[in-house]
Amino acid sequence: MIHETVVTTCSIDGTPHIAPMGARLERDSVVLMPFTPSTTYDNIMASGCAVMNFTTDVRVFAGCVTGRRSWPTLPAGTVPGVRLAGALAHTELRLVDASGDPARPVLTLRRVAEATHAPFTGFNRAQAAVIEAAVLVSRLHLLPREKIETEMAWLTIAIEKTAGPAEREAWRWLTEATAAFYSNRESLHDSHNERACMREPT
Ligand SMILES: Cc1cc2nc3c(=O)[nH]c(=O)nc-3n(C[C@H](O)[C@H](O)[C@H](O)COP(=O)(O)O)c2cc1C
């Protein structure tokens, strides 16, 4: 089973990096599969460690894929690095194996410490919708526009019925980023066509 987590890593000079990432949880280890190029991958390979954060604050997921990567952190307890200050729980990890394809490495990390900071308060459909939409937004350049728009329209139902203020804010960031992506793409397309017309022989 894949769990949607937020992975915090640090570069060699100590700069923290925050990225949503699917994680396969095994008994003593965790498997991450970052698509390269990836700062998360580079940091794990360089530092040998990472922290996996469990949070229901879906603004972190939506924020990271829309350029809002600055979230409050606290020092991790065992590995050199940070955890999300708002995490319900976190697990500290050390790299034990790197394999797989260069385009999608498979990183196996051993659990070395874990802590719980707040209780899980139950499932919320709007939070699940934000996670789904954040995945779509991270793949706008890969997926057909029709698929994105159909799925976002479907996910809106859960937002309208069950969101609180944090989920609404996250949803706004995602819909704004989607609109900006297509509007930029259309203006690039228009200016490309204009240049092509200007080159047409008369
Ligand atoms: C819920 C969720 C899960 C994601 N899972 C992965 C993943 O497993 N691997 C990956 O490369 N990117 C994943 N992404 C996209 C990354 O968060 C995003 O592309 C990020 O910028 C990773 O690149 P970075 O390490 O350079 O920051 C996920 C995004 C979301 C919203």
Side-chain angles (χ1 to χ4, degrees):
M1 181 160 72
I2 305 286
H3 294 251
E4 303 307 344
T5 72
V6 176
V7 174
T8 40
T9 54
C10 280
S11 65
I12 284 297
D13 70 6
T15 309
H17 182 75
I18 302 176
M21 202 128 305
R24 211 168 67 222
L25 308 190
E26 294 173 355
R27 221 166 68 95
D28 300 320
S29 62
V30 167
V31 177
L32 300 177
M33 294 174 66
F35 288 100
T36 56
S38 155
T39 305
T40 302
Y41 172 77
D42 294 345
N43 286 352
I44 293 175
M45 294 308 287
S47 68
C49 51
V51 176
M52 183 174 58
N53 299 270
F54 302 100
T55 180
T56 48
D57 185 349
V58 290
R59 290 174 305 173
V60 183
F61 291 86
C64 286
V65 299
T66 58
R68 298 166 176 88
R69 283 196 189 255
S70 192
W71 295 94
T73 58
L74 292 169
T78 304
V79 300
V82 296
R83 68 159 174 100
L84 283 182
L88 299 180
H90 82 275
T91 303
E92 300 181 21
L93 304 163
R94 279 198 193 276
L95 180 66
V96 288
D97 185 60
S99 60
D101 193 75
R104 197 162 197 207
V106 177
L107 303 180
T108 305
L109 301 105
R110 186 168 49 87
R111 298 164 183 263
V112 293
E114 24 210 14
T116 299
H117 312 289
F120 173 60
T121 51
F123 294 105
N124 170 257
R125 289 174 57 203
Q127 289 170 354
V130 169
I131 301 287
E132 279 305 313
V135 172
L136 293 175
V137 167
S138 75
R139 296 179 186 166
L140 286 176
H141 56 297
L142 297 173
L143 297 173
R145 181 172 183 168
E146 196 197 338
K147 176 180 167 67
I148 298 279
E149 289 177 346
T150 309
E151 294 197 11
M152 294 284 278
W154 170 250
L155 294 168
T156 307
I157 301 169
I159 299 293
E160 284 172 355
K161 287 189 175 165
T162 69
E167 292 74 29
R168 285 190 192 284
E169 186 172 30
W171 187 254
R172 181 170 54 77
W173 294 343
L174 295 169
T175 51
E176 284 173 0
T178 307
F181 176 84
Y182 291 122
S183 143
N184 286 343
R185 203 167 71 171
E186 272 160 25
S187 26
L188 273 177
H189 185 254
D190 289 349
S191 68
H192 174 82
N193 281 351
E194 262 171 43
R195 281 201 303 278
C197 286
M198 282 161 70
R199 281 200 301 270
E200 292 269 310
T202 48

